[in-house]
Amino acid sequence: MTPGRPVPPPLAKPITLDPSGPGAETRTLAAAYGATSPDSGLVPLTVARRVPTEDDIEIAVEFCGLCHSDVHATRGEWRVPPYPLVPGHEIVGRVTRVGVGVQDFAVGDRVGVGCMVDSCRECESCLEGLEQYCERGNIGTYGAADPRHGDAITQGGYSTSVVVDKRFVLRVPESLDPAAAAPLLCAGITTYSPLRYFDVEEGDTVGVVGLGGLGHMAVKIAKAMGAEVTVFTTSESKFDAARELGADHVVLSKDADAMEAANRSIDVIIDTVAAPHDLNPYFRTLRLDGALFQLGLPADDMPPVSPGLLIRRRLAYAGSLIGGIEETQEMLDFCAAHGVASDIEIVGAEQLNEAYDRMVAGDVKYRFVLDTATLQEPSERADA
């Protein structure tokens, strides 16, 4: 694990608006970085944060992980988002204020916020603790209309503060390095959830396709669960890195003989690759009743899956989306207990655009994390 700051600087504090100004009773200002158009890059912004309501928690952000989905979102590659847009859904910080209805968190607690900040709380999925699958759609941490707060557009964690409902705030164990813990709130839970769903335990064999931000977390978590881990990669240059992370075996997936040797050796595969690729060779490595979980989301169509491969071994091909709040807390506690965190490179605000370009080029090992102490002071007027 790449260590974070040995001595964290004082927490960034949100600045309260002039009481005489319009909306002063409901907003504070926070410094941020975000996009104002698909081609603007990330620029300094000031965002307005609501004063905590009865069930809200105000958080001074210390670190925020950079996810590849942030790049897609800010550049309008999935859809044209509401600009200005402040990304960031891997947030770690300290509680600075709580609403009167908040009992489980106190000022000074280290907490986290992941990919969602609300859901309908009423559908079957929400009642089962699967808020990520909310039947009305969960409320994303950024770029989403928040119906409980006048459809205001949520703004993410590349900022000095956030305000989030207590139901979607997570307790970050103090034993975890706060910077290295930030990516757990997306990459960590995204890989933990399918491994937990499949009840991976000691003696099981797990395959990991791809060794990026998600893949390296899948290796670490599967090993912590006691599994034997095989990494499939298209690059021989990643063999040593995979073994350093704890992989027991590394297979060059473009080597037909190596793939044949892995036939019927894996119980569950975590596929993290976000580019179109042929899944059929990986299905051949699965044992009877094995499963392949697709986590990567390619922008283009994938090659077709052969039904015969699934039928002959009773295989499952499934997808998985982050995790619910209870499961995410379980994941954080698990990682703390097993010393698992993300391998990171800390960047300052002025390095964000370079970091985005490096993410696209695959030049990161394995996650970038923004140090929010490098953000500028907020201006006197909010941009969003």
Side-chain angles (χ1 to χ4, degrees):
M1 181 184 74
T2 303
R5 301 173 291 188
V7 180
L11 297 180
K13 298 291 186 181
I15 296 178
T16 304
L17 288 174
D18 184 334
S20 62
E25 71 284 356
T26 60
R27 299 188 302 168
T28 59
L29 293 180
Y33 254 66
T36 57
S37 71
D39 57 0
S40 69
L42 298 175
V43 298
L45 296 171
T46 295
V47 295
R49 301 297 192 187
R50 68 180 185 269
V51 168
T53 61
E54 179 178 350
D55 291 332
D56 279 341
I57 297 174
E58 180 185 74
I59 303 163
V61 180
E62 295 175 291
F63 297 100
C64 186
L66 278 60
C67 179
H68 207 123
S69 61
D70 298 345
V71 179
H72 293 304
T74 55
R75 295 180 177 179
E77 293 171 350
W78 285 339
R79 64 180 179 89
V80 178
Y83 293 107
L85 180 67
V86 175
H89 56 213
E90 300 175 348
I91 302 166
V92 170
R94 294 282 189 186
V95 175
T96 51
R97 279 194 291 178
V98 298
V100 295
V102 177
Q103 304 298 325
D104 296 333
F105 295 92
V107 171
D109 287 348
R110 176 162 279 141
V111 295
V113 178
C115 300
M116 53 187 172
V117 292
D118 210 344
S119 67
C120 81
R121 311 180 194 173
E122 298 174 349
C123 71
E124 184 175 348
S125 293
C126 287
L127 294 176
E128 291 181 3
L130 300 171
E131 298 92 346
Q132 74 273 33
Y133 300 120
C134 176
E135 293 162 23
R136 300 179 194 173
N138 67 67
I139 308 303
T141 304
Y142 63 84
D146 183 353
R148 295 187 203 277
H149 299 94
D151 285 332
I153 301 300
T154 56
Q155 303 291 350
Y158 296 10
S159 61
T160 52
S161 72
V162 293
V163 177
V164 180
D165 187 282
K166 65 181 181 182
R167 298 167 183 84
F168 289 81
V169 175
L170 299 144
R171 191 173 300 279
V172 176
E174 291 287 348
S175 62
L176 288 172
D177 179 287
L184 298 179
L185 296 160
C186 178
I189 185 56
T190 297
T191 49
Y192 180 89
S193 186
L195 291 169
R196 186 74 173 81
Y197 181 81
F198 203 78
D199 291 328
V200 168
E201 59 186 4
E202 187 172 357
D204 289 337
T205 56
V206 171
V208 178
V209 182
L211 199 64
L214 289 176
H216 96 287
M217 287 308 312
V219 172
K220 289 188 174 192
I221 291 172
K223 285 297 295 181
M225 290 177 170
E228 180 179 324
V229 176
T230 296
V231 168
F232 295 95
T233 177
T234 59
S235 174
E236 291 184 69
S237 66
K238 292 191 175 181
F239 275 41
D240 289 343
R243 293 191 178 102
E244 288 172 4
L245 289 167
D248 299 285
H249 313 284
V250 188
V251 175
L252 189 65
S253 56
K254 58 187 179 183
D255 182 335
D257 291 338
M259 291 296 287
E260 177 62 28
N263 184 41
R264 294 180 184 269
S265 65
I266 308 293
D267 293 307
V268 57
I269 291 174
I270 303 297
D271 188 334
T272 69
V273 176
H277 56 291
D278 187 2
L279 296 175
N280 294 302
Y282 301 107
F283 283 121
R284 294 187 180 95
T285 70
L286 286 172
R287 295 171 174 161
L288 179 69
D289 288 330
L292 187 153
F293 282 92
Q294 187 73 47
L295 303 186
L297 184 61
D300 299 317
D301 291 340
M302 295 272 283
V305 169
S306 170
L309 290 174
L310 305 182
I311 292 168
R312 284 191 291 272
R313 299 185 192 177
R314 198 161 60 187
L315 303 180
Y317 177 35
S320 184
L321 176 67
I322 53 173
I325 297 302
E326 182 178 355
E327 186 176 52
T328 304
Q329 186 64 62
E330 177 186 294
M331 177 274 305
L332 287 170
D333 295 339
F334 174 91
C335 288
H338 292 85
V340 173
S342 183
D343 286 13
I344 62 168
E345 179 179 338
I346 297 177
V347 297
E350 72 284 354
Q351 299 171 289
L352 282 170
N353 287 301
E354 177 188 356
Y356 270 29
D357 291 339
R358 287 179 57 192
M359 277 197 286
V360 172
D363 179 23
V364 54
K365 193 176 176 181
Y366 289 95
R367 299 287 280 200
F368 288 118
V369 174
L370 170 65
D371 180 351
T372 63
T374 63
L375 293 172
Q376 79 292 346
E377 291 295 315
S379 64
E380 296 180 358
R381 182 179 296 275
D383 301 297

